[in-house]
Amino acid sequence: MTDVIGESIPRIDAVDKVTGAAKFADDFQFGPGLLYGRLVRSPHAHALVKKIDATKALALPGVKAIATGADTPGFIGLYLQDRHIFATDRVRYIGDPVAGIVATSEEIAEQAIKLVQVDYKVLPAVTDPLDAIKPDAPILHPELGNYDVANFIFPKPGTNISNHFKVRKGNVEKAFAESDVIVEGEFGVPQIQHVPIEPHVAVALAEQSGKITMWASSQSPFAQRNLIAKALHISQGDIRVIAPYLGGGFGSKAGVSMEACAVVMALKVQGRPVKLRLTREEEFFTTFVRQGLVARTKIGAKKNGKLVAMKTEYFWDAGAYTEYGVNMTRAGGYSSTGPYEIPNVQADSYCCYTNHPVGGPMRGFGMPEIHWGIEQLMDQVAEKLAMDPRDFRIKNCIKTGGEVVTGWAMHPIKLDECIEKATAAIDWNKNEPASAPNKKRGKGLAIMWKAPAMPPNAGSSAYVRLNEDATVTLGLGGQEIGQGTHTVMAQMAAQALGVPIDWIRIATPVDTQYSPYEWQTVASRLTWSMGNAVVAAAQHARQQILDLVAEHWNEKVEDLDIKDGKVISYKSEESMPLQNMVIYGLPKEGDCGWRGGPIVGRGNFMPTYVTGLDPETGQGPRAVVHYTVGCQAVDLEIDTETGQVEILRVAAAYDVGKAINPDQVRAQMEGGVVQGASSALFEQLQLRNGKPINPSFVDYRIATSVDTPREIIPIIVEEPQDDGPFGARGIGEHAMVPTAPAIANAIYNAIGVRIPSLPLTAEKIFLAMQK
């Protein structure tokens, strides 16, 4: 729906081999002086780095330079600065970058990394979060107490716990003693990969003037600029990050992973750009993965069906570095009850260092993981109480004004309506036969909540600049990753300004030198946060236009409006098109000069009302900006001869506040259901002693078109968000959250089997039925 300007920088190529066509594309964009990088990676899960000898590699014709940990003594990280760009004294996972080779071709760089000799002293590895917390476990980060950390993260120096988030609310033990029904269980979630179709790629150029430019496939150009600048002690004003459209992200391209390596390598060959592109194999385990989780939860309820107590321990397999994982641990803690009102809660959420790949943000940011156990246990409570799982949830789900786990009163929501509509869509009360004698049919549901997990002061900004013909250039810092944010921002700008949407032009690519600031494209926050900034910028421009015309017509501003690109007066019925006057202004009477000038609107937004929480109780006035809530109901069949699951119908109902673009909202629900089903039925990064054994699409299964549900029924529910633009909230991640437990509950309904660990493979289901 929108035009795009400024795409003068072609896409960074991402083919598997540097073919002639790819080389031509690189030369066209960056010139024939482009160099290529490859990384020397640790073959050990945990080891000391004793010596690096690059003599043979540097002697190879075409090799230009090597970068090592000696070039990166500083630390880097978003919430916790716990890693070097290149490993210095020790490596902590298989794939940890030890050095970077720069050469005239990718093939030469690949040969050279095999010639670099690294002397390691292998150390005992920790490959399970439950082992990581044992008193005699090897300490993976002895300097944890010296790391810089955000003030809402609570590491435990001398242990492998990089964050411990606690909730203490009410009297849990007393409530359990008075409970009529108690259920408890342990649930496991493995590390999985985001598998974006485009792998990570970055090109960096360090000029002799000290200026650095990086082109990157990035969800976080401004965060990358800031983090790399601080790690290398360079001014943020001297680093420019340009981020073209992404070929998929899902959180994997948030923050910093390999991009900083490209910058350091470019600094070794100043004046020549260096391209660093990961292979598909590297993509599986050397960038962020979704953290694993072991969850232990106990729930108590009364005979009347009301929940009264919950006790939870979360042990997050956060991997070798937890700069991002610590905040996921926090989000799991302040959302630990799921979308239920429970008066007595004890929760301990531990971020555990292991010698596994680095855990980081992925669609849902910890919520799919915690809801996996919560929603299965809620079904078990309902079963013990002889209550319908739907009625049980309607009775206990959080509602407007209810007190959430951190003590805050819930803003207006319609979660109960979501439950009713989702279950009705799959004919919840109707017992329907299976399609064959060897198949069993079952129905299940799960509900969810998720808040944008971000610092309390994450900000957005935007500008609106009108052109001579009254078309509008809209400047944004948020990234388009396929979620349609550019279309939604154009809709908001057009509505707030009063012009047709096809007059809006989005200024791309995102460029930290020219684009307005945006914290990151994460947390399902752009529609809400960047949307508020866009509306403010459009209103600022609109006010300038109305002030100008009011003075010109000698009328009051409140009598004027802008409709379809014209200023109109409700009093005098005058009208004036925006063309030209938004640049050149309007003449004063009697040829006595001009008034006005080029119209540029600017807007920003930052929530000012999020408060800290007590570190011992997790209680506080307002932990988050808001929650998006929803429900999924699943109708499926299981082949009892093979364990194969076929999903017949999924109804997904979400309270989105206000659907700015209903078609895109439905598309997000559909995509979330499919990705959630993929993670539920197939996906697992298989690790043996820290070594990934399935880093390819041959062995790492994801859902394809034949695995998708026969029917997905997206349902929009709207209860306006008080601080959202036009009442909108985010919906990008939420539909992935309850899919897995809804499927698990439907499986139980069909065959009476519960499998506590993901994925729910046909093999697991078949073997469970045999038992």
Side-chain angles (χ1 to χ4, degrees):
M1 293 179 68
T2 61
D3 293 328
V4 174
I5 66 172
E7 278 291 344
S8 58
I9 300 173
R11 265 193 80 74
I12 295 174
D13 183 71
V15 295
D16 286 336
K17 288 291 183 181
V18 182
T19 63
K23 187 71 167 66
F24 174 81
D26 287 338
D27 289 351
F28 172 73
Q29 180 170 356
F30 301 106
L34 178 67
L35 299 172
Y36 296 84
R38 295 289 291 133
L39 299 178
V40 178
R41 297 185 179 277
S42 168
H44 305 293
H46 191 201
L48 297 178
V49 179
K50 306 299 288 184
K51 182 183 178 182
I52 299 175
D53 184 354
T55 305
K56 293 180 181 179
L58 292 171
L60 186 68
V63 172
K64 297 297 181 181
I66 183 171
T68 68
D71 302 302
T72 60
F75 288 90
I76 193 168
L78 186 63
Y79 298 104
L80 174 68
Q81 295 179 25
D82 64 351
R83 66 183 175 96
H84 300 287
I85 296 172
F86 287 104
T88 55
D89 61 329
R90 81 168 67 196
V91 290
R92 295 180 173 89
Y93 72 101
I94 292 174
D96 211 345
V98 176
I101 290 287
V102 181
T104 53
S105 74
E106 197 170 40
E107 289 89 347
I108 293 174
E110 181 68 27
Q111 293 176 43
I113 63 172
K114 297 174 183 177
L115 298 177
V116 177
Q117 297 177 322
V118 184
D119 183 15
Y120 297 98
K121 179 182 178 182
V122 178
L123 300 174
V126 179
T127 58
D128 187 306
L130 298 181
D131 290 336
I133 63 172
K134 292 178 179 177
D136 59 348
I139 301 301
L140 305 189
H141 286 262
E143 302 302 316
L144 176 59
N146 298 326
Y147 294 157
D148 288 339
V149 61
N151 65 1
F152 48 83
I153 303 299
F154 306 108
K156 301 299 180 184
T159 75
N160 288 318
I161 298 171
S162 57
N163 188 26
H164 179 195
F165 185 92
K166 293 186 277 188
V167 173
R168 301 291 186 269
K169 180 181 181 183
N171 189 328
V172 172
E173 297 307 322
K174 182 174 183 292
F176 276 124
E178 297 173 352
S179 295
D180 298 309
V181 167
I182 295 175
V183 300
E184 55 188 313
E186 180 173 303
F187 300 87
V189 179
Q191 287 190 337
I192 65 173
Q193 235 303 318
H194 311 69
V195 291
I197 193 168
E198 174 197 41
H200 281 66
V201 58
V203 177
L205 171 64
E207 301 176 45
Q208 293 184 351
S209 65
K211 299 285 187 179
I212 295 171
T213 302
M214 181 174 73
W215 296 261
S217 179
S218 170
Q219 295 178 229
S220 310
F222 287 92
Q224 287 183 349
R225 179 190 66 174
N226 182 45
L227 296 175
I228 294 172
K230 291 196 292 187
L232 298 178
H233 305 290
I234 299 171
S235 168
Q236 285 85 347
D238 289 333
I239 297 183
R240 178 186 180 190
V241 179
I242 302 169
Y245 287 142
L246 296 193
F250 309 111
S252 71
K253 295 172 183 174
V256 176
S257 55
M258 52 75 78
E259 299 83 8
C261 295
V263 172
V264 175
M265 293 158 74
L267 286 167
K268 304 292 285 188
V269 288
Q270 294 186 18
R272 298 187 67 176
V274 176
K275 180 176 181 178
L276 179 61
R277 176 173 50 87
L278 299 190
T279 65
R280 177 57 63 184
E281 181 179 5
E282 287 178 302
E283 190 73 27
F284 270 100
F285 65 95
T286 69
T287 64
F288 288 134
V289 300
R290 190 175 82 175
Q291 294 188 159
L293 176 66
V294 176
R296 294 170 173 169
T297 301
K298 178 180 177 182
I299 299 173
K302 302 290 284 185
K303 289 179 182 177
N304 63 5
K306 290 294 288 183
L307 292 167
V308 294
M310 176 183 277
K311 184 176 182 180
T312 291
E313 289 182 305
Y314 292 141
F315 303 96
W316 297 89
D317 183 354
Y321 305 101
T322 64
E323 54 147 326
Y324 230 123
V326 289
N327 197 38
M328 201 176 311
T329 300
R330 183 174 187 267
Y334 65 60
S335 301
S336 56
T337 57
Y340 297 93
E341 186 167 6
I342 304 176
N344 304 284
V345 181
Q346 178 176 322
D348 292 277
S349 188
Y350 301 97
C351 190
C352 304
Y353 282 122
T354 66
N355 294 117
H356 277 168
V358 179
M362 184 174 175
R363 191 176 192 179
F365 204 80
M367 296 303 102
E369 298 92 295
I370 71 169
H371 284 75
W372 166 243
I374 292 170
E375 284 303 286
Q376 291 189 73
L377 287 175
M378 291 302 175
D379 257 32
Q380 293 176 44
V381 174
E383 184 177 26
K384 281 199 169 187
L385 291 168
M387 289 183 68
D388 184 290
R390 178 192 60 183
D391 298 338
F392 175 76
R393 285 174 172 82
I394 290 174
K395 187 180 187 73
N396 287 283
C397 72
I398 193 73
K399 300 176 180 68
T400 301
E403 188 174 288
V404 304
V405 60
T406 57
W408 174 44
M410 188 61 154
H411 56 79
I413 55 166
K414 292 181 178 177
L415 178 53
D416 49 354
E417 183 177 327
C418 293
I419 298 170
E420 291 168 352
K421 289 187 172 181
T423 52
I426 68 161
D427 303 310
W428 180 259
N429 288 324
K430 184 178 179 182
N431 290 322
E432 298 175 87
S435 61
N438 64 315
K439 294 186 177 182
K440 298 286 187 180
R441 190 165 179 175
K443 296 179 181 180
L445 81 155
I447 62 176
M448 62 74 62
W449 68 351
K450 184 189 181 300
M454 61 187 200
N457 58 342
S460 300
S461 59
Y463 69 76
V464 165
R465 187 178 68 234
L466 283 93
N467 305 310
E468 291 87 343
D469 62 354
T471 55
V472 180
T473 300
L474 176 58
L476 308 169
Q479 182 63 289
E480 176 61 64
I481 56 176
Q483 81 280 43
T485 193
H486 283 180
T487 299
V488 169
M489 293 305 122
Q491 288 181 262
M492 290 186 182
Q495 178 73 18
L497 185 56
V499 301
I501 188 172
D502 60 3
W503 289 16
I504 306 295
R505 311 288 192 267
I506 307 295
T508 61
V510 176
D511 184 334
T512 59
Q513 185 163 299
Y514 300 110
S515 301
Y517 176 84
E518 181 61 53
W519 179 62
Q520 294 190 85
T521 302
V522 296
S524 303
R525 55 181 289 279
L526 289 194
T527 295
W528 164 76
S529 182
M530 189 166 75
N532 273 323
V534 166
V535 170
Q539 291 175 338
H540 184 219
R542 181 179 185 276
Q543 189 63 47
Q544 295 173 58
I545 295 168
L546 294 180
D547 288 343
L548 170 63
V549 176
E551 186 178 1
H552 184 69
W553 285 347
N554 194 28
E555 293 197 35
K556 294 180 180 178
V557 169
E558 50 265 32
D559 292 328
L560 306 184
D561 203 350
I562 303 177
K563 295 288 186 182
D564 296 321
K566 294 180 180 179
V567 180
I568 61 173
S569 169
Y570 294 115
K571 183 177 181 181
S572 64
E573 299 187 356
E574 291 271 4
S575 71
M576 179 184 295
L578 298 181
Q579 285 80 2
N580 292 319
M581 68 104 154
V582 292
I583 294 293
Y584 304 119
L586 294 170
K588 296 178 181 178
E589 293 181 4
D591 198 22
C592 293
W594 292 73
R595 58 171 62 92
I599 300 295
V600 180
R602 56 189 178 88
N604 60 59
F605 175 77
M606 185 183 77
T608 58
Y609 36 78
V610 177
T611 66
L613 300 176
D614 186 293
E616 295 302 319
T617 66
Q619 303 299 291
R622 187 165 182 170
V624 298
V625 290
H626 60 252
Y627 282 96
T628 296
V629 297
C631 173
Q632 281 184 22
V634 172
D635 179 12
L636 56 73
E637 285 187 338
I638 299 173
D639 187 326
T640 58
E641 295 176 352
T642 65
Q644 188 75 30
V645 174
E646 182 180 8
I647 303 174
L648 307 177
R649 293 181 289 178
V650 178
Y654 290 87
D655 181 354
V656 302
K658 172 66 178 177
I660 304 298
N661 189 310
D663 285 344
Q664 288 190 169
V665 169
R666 295 186 188 99
Q668 286 296 316
M669 293 183 190
E670 291 164 355
V673 166
V674 172
Q675 194 170 15
S678 182
S679 66
L681 299 176
F682 306 118
E683 295 186 49
Q684 178 179 10
L685 186 61
Q686 297 179 29
L687 300 161
R688 291 180 184 169
N689 299 318
K691 181 179 177 61
I693 62 172
N694 62 332
S696 75
F697 285 128
V698 174
D699 300 308
Y700 186 98
R701 176 82 189 278
I702 62 172
T704 66
S705 57
V706 299
D707 304 305
T708 57
R710 288 188 190 176
E711 183 181 13
I712 300 175
I713 308 164
I715 301 167
I716 296 172
V717 175
E718 295 177 310
E719 178 63 38
Q721 181 64 36
D722 58 355
D723 65 344
F726 307 102
R729 285 189 290 270
I731 185 57
E733 301 170 90
H734 305 80
M736 187 173 173
V737 172
T739 311
I743 291 172
N745 287 336
I747 290 172
Y748 180 80
N749 180 250
I751 60 174
V753 166
R754 288 208 177 272
I755 299 171
S757 61
L758 286 170
L760 300 169
T761 63
E763 180 184 14
K764 280 186 182 178
I765 294 171
F766 178 79
L767 293 175
M769 285 191 293
Q770 303 313 302
K771 292 180 180 178

